[in-house]
Amino acid sequence: EELIASFAQGPLPEFLAFEFSPSKGNPAKAAKAQSTTALTLAQAHLSSEAPEGARLAFLSQGAVPARPGEAPDPATASAWGLIRSAQSEHPGRFALIDHDGSDASINALPAAIAHSATEPQIALRGGEARAPRLARVEDAPAAPWRLDIKRRGTLENLTLVECPEVEAPLGPEEVRLAVRAGGLNFRDVLLALDMVSVDQPLGGEGAGVVLEVGPEVDDLAPGDRVVGLFTGAFGPTAIADHRLLAPLPSDWSFVQGAAVPVCALTARYGLFDLAGLEAGERVLIHSAAGGVGLMAVQQALDAGAEVFATAHPSKWEALRELGLDEAHIASSRDLEFRERFAEALGEGDIDVVLNSLAERFVDASLELLGEGGRFVEMGKTDIREAEGIAARHPGVSYRAFDLPEAGPDRLGEMLRQLKADFERGALRHSPVTTWDARRGAEAFRFMSQARHVGKIVLTLPAPPNPKATTLITGATGTLGALTARHLVKAHGARHLLLISRRGEKAPGARELQAELKELGAKVRIAACDVADRKALKALLGEIPKEHPLGAIYHAAGAIDDALLTSLDPKRIE
């Protein structure tokens, strides 16, 4: 209100700025409110007696995905989109600057505003200014491929490589998978950097669909959705040992499935199989906001242990959400955790340490262990000799481990137990950040900087299944019709369900249906408003079981647009 009032008070400065805060509550209501505010400010600015070249800068946080893995705030993104359209109608009058809230970006705001005359849309990330540009992306090879590294030692060597071995005949207990998502682990980063001397493809876990089974596999069949451990998970096709796979729960997505196996199994094997953690004991879990850490905290709490955890302070909220209080949380960036936890322990000691840190952090953690303490090392950069640890810390045992040492039978047993743990609420899914595997090098760099909370997952392209039903909403409109033609011509879609508000009564609907049938597709056109949940559910229930729903392309929309100066809140609503 103060900013709007200033527009009517005479000469204005060269720059005015208004900042949106990330929305809370109902996103639709927030989108309406922020877009209406943006419209009111923009119209007031255009009608004011502003000097030539005066710009109104809209500042936001999280309105655009400037880096892979970022998910924009829907409400603020709506306001950003409105002003982006206003920029095309009134060049030079508006600036859009999105920042990440970091001190470096806040300090860079004046410079960003100063450059907004030539760069009207800027995103500040860690103080670095980014502007939208078109760029080429690497095409995947025509032959079977996966994300891997030909010469290890630097992440710059990550690329898409051919892997014809995934088409080799299956062994007796092997399964061929269509991979839909692969979990990225720090071990993959170490493999890429040549810090682990193991000769195997990147990607050790994932989720997908069974394509083919070996002659001795009787617990899986083609078409089954599965999750588990296997190498080469960063490509569309992989081969796995069926003993290391389990059915993917029906209410899990492939991404959720790919985020679970290594993290949950590493935590379980380290805490219970190796350390023998029991109810009432005290456990210290380092890097507890990472994938393994979050799973370890949940499993330890479920077992009745008292959990102490370290993480970067910016990630502590993830630990608070699991029920840890301030006395049980400390930073993983300095040694203050030793004194902080020693004070909370009083005369007691830590019984188990699940470690992934190195050097002085290892020594400080060992000092917290008492008689009978167990130090379990899952990191790879600072492996100690168990005898030396025992000599310096009498009564303390030390064990470094790799998950595969548990063996396929034990790993398979633990994997099958996970579903029950999730169903009874002992475990819940960790936050997940995703990248397309074809841009996986960016995900590796992101993980190497330890900027994420929870898990990073790489998704794989999934070609349409010609036997499944392809649903297109808004199908009789321009975008929907173009999508339908492309799917039939380029991707072999053969069973189409096209829905729109008017169905067959829409202009051009019957002609589109006839055209697609001539191209070899079976086409049903139905009238349904996708905003009507009851009607949509009934329509989905009519899809034949022999051609189940396999893909959804959402092209439905409503429009009531106008030029900025004649737009009003009712049209926005």
Side-chain angles (χ1 to χ4, degrees):
E1 292 176 353
E2 294 176 359
L3 186 57
I4 293 173
S6 70
F7 289 129
Q9 294 177 359
L12 297 174
E14 183 178 358
F15 302 109
L16 289 169
F18 177 83
E19 180 161 19
F20 288 105
S21 299
S23 62
K24 297 180 180 180
N26 186 306
K29 291 181 179 179
K32 174 187 173 184
Q34 294 203 11
S35 297
T36 301
T37 299
L39 172 66
T40 303
L41 290 170
Q43 290 177 333
H45 176 54
L46 292 176
S47 63
S48 69
E49 297 180 359
E52 185 175 354
R55 295 190 300 284
L56 173 60
F58 287 86
L59 311 181
S60 61
Q61 185 172 343
V64 290
R67 290 188 300 214
E70 292 184 351
D73 170 57
T76 311
S78 299
W80 176 287
L82 177 69
I83 300 304
R84 198 159 66 97
S85 294
Q87 288 177 332
S88 66
E89 295 178 24
H90 303 277
R93 301 302 301 275
F94 302 103
L96 286 165
I97 302 172
D98 190 77
H99 63 87
D100 57 5
S102 66
D103 291 341
S105 294
I106 299 300
N107 293 335
L109 280 173
I113 292 177
H115 284 86
S116 62
T118 54
E119 289 290 356
Q121 299 167 35
I122 296 174
L124 295 172
R125 298 295 184 267
E128 177 187 66
R130 297 172 175 231
R133 294 289 189 274
L134 287 177
R136 292 189 180 276
V137 296
E138 182 180 6
D139 290 331
W145 61 269
R146 61 172 169 252
L147 177 72
D148 214 319
I149 190 163
K150 293 182 178 179
R151 192 175 66 183
R152 297 180 179 181
T154 171
L155 298 182
E156 301 305 317
N157 291 339
L158 284 163
T159 187
L160 303 183
V161 302
E162 294 186 3
C163 50
E165 64 272 17
V166 300
E167 294 185 329
L170 294 176
E173 295 191 296
E174 290 183 330
V175 172
R176 198 180 327 273
L177 300 175
V179 185
R180 295 291 183 258
L184 177 61
N185 295 286
F186 193 63
R187 176 185 174 85
D188 294 308
V189 176
L190 295 179
L191 282 171
L193 295 175
D194 203 22
M195 297 175 68
V196 178
S197 57
V198 177
D199 185 18
Q200 65 182 40
L202 301 178
E205 64 177 333
V209 179
V210 174
L211 296 175
E212 182 185 358
V213 301
E216 296 183 12
V217 177
D218 56 9
D219 57 340
L220 295 172
D224 288 349
R225 289 167 22 111
V226 294
V227 58
L229 303 172
F230 52 92
T231 58
F234 300 153
T237 307
I239 294 178
D241 183 329
H242 78 102
R243 294 173 296 174
L244 299 178
L245 300 176
L248 182 72
S250 60
D251 57 343
W252 289 19
S253 69
F254 288 118
V255 168
Q256 287 177 317
V260 168
V262 166
C263 292
L265 296 180
T266 298
R268 182 185 294 275
Y269 185 67
L271 289 175
F272 303 106
D273 286 44
L274 299 183
L277 182 66
E278 297 180 351
E281 290 192 308
R282 294 163 167 172
V283 57
L284 168 56
I285 299 171
H286 283 302
S287 301
V292 176
L294 289 174
M295 285 294 171
V297 170
Q298 294 182 75
Q299 293 185 45
L301 290 173
D302 180 59
E306 182 179 359
V307 177
F308 294 80
T310 68
H312 189 284
S314 65
K315 304 176 182 179
W316 286 1
E317 186 57 35
L319 301 178
R320 297 187 186 103
E321 290 178 359
L322 294 180
L324 300 189
D325 59 26
E326 302 305 311
H328 290 75
I329 301 174
S331 174
S332 58
R333 293 297 186 268
D334 56 54
L335 300 180
E336 189 255 346
F337 74 86
R338 177 176 50 194
E339 286 70 30
R340 183 184 184 93
F341 292 159
E343 180 180 353
L345 288 165
E347 297 297 323
D349 298 303
I350 292 290
D351 298 292
V352 174
V353 174
L354 184 63
N355 184 62
S356 56
L357 302 181
E359 299 175 352
R360 295 181 301 157
F361 292 88
V362 173
D363 299 321
S365 301
L366 285 166
E367 293 175 11
L368 291 171
L369 287 170
E371 179 76 22
R374 291 89 78 195
F375 190 102
V376 182
E377 175 63 75
M378 62 180 180
K380 301 293 181 288
T381 58
D382 187 11
I383 305 296
R384 307 287 180 93
E385 292 291 337
E387 295 79 5
I389 296 294
R392 288 189 296 274
H393 301 275
V396 171
S397 65
Y398 176 91
R399 172 71 185 274
F401 76 98
D402 266 324
L403 185 58
E405 73 183 44
D409 293 329
R410 176 58 182 149
L411 288 172
E413 180 184 7
M414 290 190 292
L415 187 62
R416 289 184 287 274
Q417 291 172 349
L418 289 176
K419 179 181 178 182
D421 291 340
F422 275 92
E423 287 178 343
R424 65 185 179 84
L427 294 178
R428 66 187 189 191
H429 291 286
S430 300
V432 177
T433 305
T434 63
W435 267 266
D436 188 300
R438 290 164 292 186
R439 300 179 64 182
E442 299 168 1
F444 271 73
R445 285 190 285 271
F446 191 79
M447 171 168 272
S448 70
Q449 298 163 4
R451 287 156 43 189
H452 64 292
V453 173
K455 188 76 173 182
I456 293 176
V457 169
L458 304 187
T459 59
L460 281 303
N465 179 359
K467 295 181 180 180
T469 294
T470 297
L471 169 65
I472 304 175
T473 72
T476 56
T478 301
L479 291 178
L482 286 170
T483 301
R485 293 188 186 100
H486 178 72
L487 290 171
V488 172
K489 292 179 180 179
H491 295 287
R494 289 297 177 264
H495 301 274
L496 300 182
L497 174 56
L498 310 182
I499 63 176
S500 65
R501 290 182 178 86
R502 288 183 286 176
E504 292 183 340
K505 296 181 180 180
R510 293 188 179 276
E511 292 79 2
L512 174 63
Q513 185 178 40
E515 178 186 350
L516 296 175
K517 285 184 176 180
E518 285 186 10
L519 293 171
K522 295 182 179 180
V523 183
R524 178 189 175 191
I525 297 180
C528 181
D529 183 350
V530 294
D532 185 337
R533 185 181 184 89
K534 184 178 180 179
L536 182 60
K537 183 176 181 180
L539 182 63
L540 295 176
E542 297 173 4
I543 295 176
K545 292 183 179 180
E546 59 269 26
H547 302 294
L549 183 62
I552 302 171
Y553 295 85
H554 184 45
I559 189 167
D560 187 12
D561 59 345
L563 293 174
L564 185 75
T565 51
S566 59
L567 194 65
D568 58 47
K570 183 62 179 176
R571 275 180 153 153
I572 285 180
E573 185 176 3

